[in-house]
């Protein structure tokens, strides 16, 4: 498609990215691209039971082990860091099942409505920038999670220094410290338990990667639409007609409703994410500061990896929510910087209403308690420093 001034228009192609995410969501028993309403099929129910069952196999024995060693802070820190990670994925996935229709609606709007019309190159570059960020976040989370899973599944049998049962060969260690109703150190129980723990960990990581990718997709495309709306608002002048201005107003209202739906879906998840990530960081600090000075470097390396992963999780959610806030907040500036005073009286009155509404930018919150921005991430980091400064290392 070409305009009269020979500017080439191109359509935004998000089909491949969304279909990859949809394939991953199908593995979890969700259907993002099916038309609403969707009847849950038997295969979806089986997949959901399988995924939740696999994560429960890691979660429940971990909780039982925490209860058994509740008086030993070192054991609690070691086990709790794994348990909280699984709880986070279970809550994330459970919310996705509960809010499946709303989440499907947001993804389908990106797939079918957001980019139905071709865009000129100067606008297309904004969309492609946010699209690349969305893909990059998904790939980064996938790579880091896969490496962490591979490392953690292979190293503990060699390195793990926790022996739950003294009368059993200590070399037969499983990746995760757990308490089972059977003796998992004898064959074939050991091999089965080892495989099931890896499977449960894989399902936990897979759920987190897929659901984070969906969140990144929705946030970044919302940012792209807000950026294009800024461009349209900044171009308002005497030449704009009432019909064109009405389209801008409808687009603004549409994106406000879209952001509100995004907030309704992810607000409780983000709150749980903040609480559990804070717990993960605190347990990691307790664990590393409780190590003897002569402890090997492997423990320190594991802590650094785990600490970096926990902080990155918080950073990703805060940064994406912050981008939504920034792009929404910039609508007021773009409107004010335009030549709105050259428009008709109808346009001028409409601009006033847009400015009034833009004073309250769209913001994602953690359970409606506080807005999620980069300031929230800074607060989380400050909490870590405060906690670390009050924990004394063991010197023997």
């Amino acid at each position: 498609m070409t305009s009269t001034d020979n500017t080439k228009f191109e359509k935004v192609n998000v089909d491949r990215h969304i279909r990859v995410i949809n394939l991953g969501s199908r593995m979890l028993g969700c259907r993002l691209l099916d038309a609403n309403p969707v009847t849950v099929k038997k295969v979806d129910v089986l997949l959901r039971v399988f995924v939740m069952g696999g994560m429960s196999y890691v979660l429940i024995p971990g909780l039982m082990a925490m209860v058994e060693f509740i008086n030993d802070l070192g054991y609690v820190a070691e086990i709790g860091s794994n348990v909280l990670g699984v709880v986070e994925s279970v809550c994330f996935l459970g919310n996705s099942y509960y809010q499946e229709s709303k989440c499907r609606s947001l993804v389908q709007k990106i797939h079918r409505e957001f980019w139905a019309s071709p865009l000129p190159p100067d606008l297309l570059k904004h969309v492609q920038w946010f699209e690349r960020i969305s893909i990059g976040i998904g790939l980064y989370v996938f790579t880091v999670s896969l490496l962490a899973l591979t490392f953690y599944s292979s190293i503990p049998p060699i390195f793990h220094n926790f022996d739950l049962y003294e009368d059993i060969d200590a070399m037969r260690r499983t990746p995760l410290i757990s308490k089972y109703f059977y003796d998992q150190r004898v064959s074939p129980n050991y091999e089965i338990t080892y495989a099931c723990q890896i499977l449960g960990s894989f399902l936990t990581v897979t759920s987190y990667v897929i659901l984070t990718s969906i969140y990144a997709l929705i946030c970044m495309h919302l940012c792209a639409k807000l950026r294009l709306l800024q461009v349209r608002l900044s171009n308002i002048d005497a030449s704009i007609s009432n019909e064109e201005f009405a389209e801008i107003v409808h687009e603004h209202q549409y994106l406000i409703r879209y952001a509100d739906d995004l907030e309704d879906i992810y607000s409780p998840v983000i709150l749980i994410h903040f609480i559990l990530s804070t717990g993960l960081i605190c347990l990691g600090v307790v664990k590393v500061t409780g190590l003897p000075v002569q402890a090997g470097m492997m423990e320190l390396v594991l802590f650094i990896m785990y600490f970096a992963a926990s902080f990155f999780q918080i950073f990703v959610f805060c940064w994406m929510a912050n981008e939504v806030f920034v792009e929404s907040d910039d609508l007021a500036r773009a409107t004010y910087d335009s030549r709105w005073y050259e428009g008709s009286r109808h346009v001028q009155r409409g601009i006033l209403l847009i400015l009034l509404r833009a004073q309250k930018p769209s913001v994602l919150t953690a359970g409606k308690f506080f807005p999620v921005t980069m300031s929230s991430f800074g607060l989380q980091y400050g909490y870590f420093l405060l906690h670390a400064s009050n924990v004394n290392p063991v010197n023997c």
Side-chain angles (χ1 to χ4, degrees), residues 192-235:
I192 295 174
T193 302
Y194 197 106
C196 289
Q197 283 193 359
I198 292 179
L199 176 61
S201 301
F202 173 78
L203 293 174
T204 300
V205 169
T206 301
S207 301
Y208 179 79
V209 170
I210 293 173
L211 297 176
T212 302
S213 298
I214 295 173
Y215 177 73
L217 171 79
I218 296 173
C219 285
M220 290 300 97
H221 280 274
L222 174 58
C223 289
K225 288 291 286 185
L226 290 170
R227 178 71 62 83
L228 297 193
L229 182 58
Q230 293 173 28
V231 174
R232 295 184 68 181
L233 286 169
S234 64
N235 290 333

Side-chain angles (χ1 to χ4, degrees), residues 211-265:
L211 297 176
T212 302
S213 298
I214 295 173
Y215 177 73
L217 171 79
I218 296 173
C219 285
M220 290 300 97
H221 280 274
L222 174 58
C223 289
K225 288 291 286 185
L226 290 170
R227 178 71 62 83
L228 297 193
L229 182 58
Q230 293 173 28
V231 174
R232 295 184 68 181
L233 286 169
S234 64
N235 290 333
I236 291 177
D237 54 23
S239 63
I240 189 170
S241 65
N242 291 342
E243 291 75 16
E244 291 173 330
F245 183 74
E247 290 181 6
I248 293 177
V249 172
H250 292 155
E251 178 79 0
H252 188 205
Q253 295 172 340
Y254 176 85
L255 294 180
I256 290 173
R257 291 193 299 269
Y258 191 90
D260 290 341
D261 290 340
L262 177 61
E263 157 73 1
D264 291 339
I265 295 173

Side-chain angles (χ1 to χ4, degrees), residues 114-188:
F114 269 29
W115 314 117
S117 302
L119 299 174
D122 58 329
L123 298 183
L124 185 64
K125 66 181 181 181
H126 295 294
V127 180
Q128 291 174 338
W129 165 250
F130 285 107
E131 173 75 2
R132 284 193 292 267
I133 292 177
S134 173
I135 295 174
I137 290 174
L139 290 176
Y140 185 86
V141 172
F142 171 76
T143 303
V144 171
S145 300
L146 182 62
L147 290 176
L149 177 63
T150 303
F151 183 80
Y152 205 80
S153 298
S154 57
I155 292 299
I158 303 172
F159 167 71
H160 221 305
N161 59 357
F162 286 95
D163 302 324
L164 298 186
Y165 306 103
E166 296 179 356
D167 58 334
I168 301 176
D169 184 6
M171 292 301 296
R172 309 201 80 181
R173 303 180 179 109
T174 52
L176 304 175
I177 302 173
S178 303
K179 172 72 174 179
Y180 294 96
F181 63 87
Y182 60 87
D183 183 359
Q184 78 268 27
R185 298 297 179 90
V186 298
S187 296

Side-chain angles (χ1 to χ4, degrees), residues 59-72 75-76 79-80 83 164-165 176-180:
L59 176 60
I60 296 176
L63 291 172
M64 294 172 62
M66 287 185 67
V67 172
E68 181 176 353
F69 298 101
I70 193 65
N71 295 323
D72 191 318
Y75 280 90
V76 172
I79 303 169
V83 169
L164 298 186
Y165 306 103
L176 304 175
I177 302 173
S178 303
K179 172 72 174 179
Y180 294 96

